[in-house]
């Protein structure tokens, strides 16, 4: 029997059918290891997750300019100054590629920056620590860029193609940054004075644990990981990347002649990987909640740069 309600239900049912079909096409493409482009249909939660991660990543790059930018006027030689200028400029470029990738998801750069300036958006915990000496600049290149590359190379295969494409160029530049940091440290360790070698060791002691925190909380405490891995946004888990970073860094520390400040750091033959001591996750939570050594200073510097750069 015909009722008027049937007329109004039909478009809703058709829409629901179309939504299911689009979701299925999306899932099939993800399962096949394919890529999603900006104009393709995507679930709202996938869009939001990407926007959250890419905008945080972009904010990290531009806030990350501050700790090193602080040393441009005090670099020890003209060569080191030119390298540091280029590196800091690269980080600004990375921020711009990433904001552009995030904008394809429907949020404007102004909206993302407003969120950063109002303290509603996160950026990497690592940039809330101070750069006390020139050795810190080398250690940022070696450890912070080293951790960034380890985390970001798998993002070149992220299922969202505009982000993946941005990451290819970013990773090439980050590799150069890592090498220049290591080179600066090697120079200080091999040709420097005892005081300079102590400066390097002190910087390594201060940056080691915060560098390990860059990879995010342990897998069993990472609320976003399961879906991000399901969707091919993240390809390797937080703990696995942290482990790979430690394994890659230990031999580099030996060549450099520094010790890593973890008495429990030992080679585990069975796992073919290093065991490490406990990470202070309370400190991590405090820093991302806004209470790290430099959070207020960093945010104030970004807001000031925005206000003073306004046309
Ligand atoms: N800092 O569930 P998960 C660089 C947050 S760029 C602050 O595991 P997810 C270049 C996380 O957002 C460095 N917050 O989250 C450079 C989430 O909060 P939410 C930046 C963190 O997204 C070098 C909550 O904790 N790189 O260094 C951190 O699945 C030198 C729960 O965590 C990227 O952003 C942290 N360390 O995994 C520049 C790479 N860790 O959003 C200058 C892309 C976690 O729910 C000089 N991002 N949180 O409120 C990623 O790969 C991921 O977003 C992770 C976190 C792995 C960072």
């Amino acid at each position: 029997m015909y009722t008027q309600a049937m007329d109004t239900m039909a478009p809703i049912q058709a829409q629901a059918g179309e939504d299911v079909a689009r979701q299925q096409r999306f899932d099939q493409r993800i399962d096949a290891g394919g890529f999603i482009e900006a104009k393709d249909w995507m679930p709202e939660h996938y869009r939001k997750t990407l926007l959250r991660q890419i905008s945080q990543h972009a904010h990290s790059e531009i806030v990350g300019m501050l700790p090193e930018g602080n040393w441009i006027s005090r670099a020890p030689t003209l060569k080191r100054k030119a390298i540091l200028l280029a590196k800091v400029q690269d980080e600004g470029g990375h921020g711009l590629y990433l904001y552009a990738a995030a904008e394809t998801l429907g949020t404007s750069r102004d909206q993302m920056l407003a969120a950063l300036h109002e303290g509603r958006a996160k950026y990497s915990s690592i940039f809330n620590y101070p750069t006390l000496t020139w050795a810190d600049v080398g250690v940022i290149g070696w450890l912070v860029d080293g951790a960034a590359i380890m985390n970001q190379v798998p993002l070149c295969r992220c299922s969202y193609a505009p982000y993946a494409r941005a990451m290819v160029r970013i990773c090439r530049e980050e590799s150069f940054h890592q090498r220049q940091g290591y080179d600066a440290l090697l120079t200080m360790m091999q040709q420097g004075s005892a005081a300079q070698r102590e400066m390097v060791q002190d910087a390594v002691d201060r940056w080691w644990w915060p560098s390990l925190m860059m990879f995010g909380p342990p897998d069993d405490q990472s609320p976003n990981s399961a879906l991000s891995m399901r969707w091919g946004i993240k390809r390797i888990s937080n703990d696995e990347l942290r482990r790979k970073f430690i394994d890659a860094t230990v031999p580099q520390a030996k060549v450099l002649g520094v010790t890593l400040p973890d008495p429990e750091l030992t080679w585990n033959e069975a796992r073919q990987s290093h065991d490490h001591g406990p990470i202070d996750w309370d400190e991590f939570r405090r820093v991302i909640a806004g209470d790290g050594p430099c959070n207020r200073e960093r945010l104030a510097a970004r807001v000031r740069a925005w206000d003073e750069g306004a046309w």
Side-chain angles (χ1 to χ4, degrees):
M1 184 184 69
Y2 171 83
T3 67
Q4 210 174 358
M6 282 175 171
D7 267 355
T8 47
M9 289 298 288
I12 295 171
Q13 281 164 352
Q15 181 61 43
E18 176 57 18
D19 283 351
V20 171
R22 284 192 300 207
Q23 178 75 50
Q24 275 171 351
R25 280 197 296 275
F26 173 86
D27 290 340
Q28 278 162 3
R29 198 180 301 178
I30 295 284
D31 291 344
F35 291 95
I36 307 297
E37 291 289 348
K39 286 185 178 159
D40 293 336
W41 182 87
M42 62 188 83
E44 201 42 36
H45 195 168
Y46 176 83
R47 180 189 300 278
K48 285 205 173 117
T49 299
L50 279 165
L51 196 56
R52 177 185 63 77
Q53 176 166 325
I54 304 172
S55 65
Q56 280 179 199
H57 192 167
H59 298 327
S60 303
E61 298 282 357
I62 59 159
V63 176
M65 296 166 76
L66 299 170
E68 288 173 297
N70 183 28
W71 277 91
I72 291 172
S73 59
R74 292 175 289 163
T77 65
L78 185 59
K79 177 182 138 189
R80 295 287 174 202
K81 188 187 184 95
I83 293 172
L84 186 58
L85 263 173
K87 178 183 192 291
V88 171
Q89 229 166 16
D90 283 353
E91 312 296 1
H94 298 172
L96 296 186
Y97 314 149
L98 290 165
Y99 284 125
E103 279 184 309
T104 64
L105 294 158
T107 297
S108 72
R109 193 173 306 185
D110 281 352
Q111 286 171 307
M112 290 183 264
L113 285 169
L116 173 68
H117 297 161
E118 288 160 20
R120 289 183 282 115
K122 290 193 175 72
Y123 57 86
S124 182
S125 50
I126 193 76
F127 302 119
N128 292 307
Y129 292 85
T131 39
L132 303 180
T133 70
W134 172 252
D136 290 42
V137 174
V139 169
I140 289 181
W142 176 39
L143 296 181
V144 176
D145 283 281
I149 297 165
M150 193 57 85
N151 165 270
Q152 291 172 17
V153 166
L155 294 175
C156 298
R157 291 183 293 116
C158 168
S159 60
Y160 188 56
Y163 189 26
R165 281 191 289 268
M167 290 317 302
V168 173
R169 177 160 174 187
I170 292 177
C171 284
R172 291 212 180 114
E173 293 177 353
E174 300 287 26
S175 303
F176 174 73
H177 297 170
Q178 197 261 358
R179 291 298 293 267
Q180 70 78 34
Y182 195 74
D183 176 74
L185 295 178
L186 210 51
T187 304
M188 275 189 272
M189 291 302 288
Q190 294 183 346
Q191 296 166 34
S193 61
Q196 283 169 322
R197 285 193 292 276
E198 270 170 39
M199 223 162 75
V200 173
Q201 183 61 60
D202 172 64
V204 171
D205 291 347
R206 285 181 288 107
W207 288 90
W208 174 248
W209 293 105
S211 299
L212 298 188
M213 293 175 195
M214 285 176 73
F215 295 94
D219 293 348
D220 58 1
Q221 293 164 39
S222 160
N224 301 299
S225 275
L227 258 182
S228 288
M229 299 280 285
R230 162 74 189 90
W231 280 329
I233 295 173
K234 282 163 89 163
R235 298 279 181 188
I236 306 182
S237 81
N238 297 359
D239 283 332
E240 177 68 2
L241 286 169
R242 187 167 16 246
R243 193 187 61 69
K244 283 160 79 81
F245 171 71
I246 294 172
D247 289 345
T249 307
V250 168
Q252 295 169 4
K254 278 205 187 96
V255 173
L256 206 51
V258 293
T259 50
L260 297 171
D262 178 359
E264 293 177 48
L265 194 60
T266 42
W267 177 249
N268 181 324
E269 190 61 33
R271 284 199 309 114
Q272 288 291 298
S273 183
H274 288 85
D275 291 333
H276 62 83
I279 296 174
D280 185 350
W281 292 114
D282 285 342
E283 174 179 324
F284 170 77
R285 278 186 285 273
R286 269 197 314 277
V287 173
I288 66 172
D291 204 16
C294 299
N295 294 61
R296 287 165 196 83
E297 187 185 327
R298 299 288 183 244
L299 207 55
R302 280 310 321 163
V303 171
R304 198 170 54 248
W306 178 259
D307 290 344
E308 289 176 1
W311 284 21

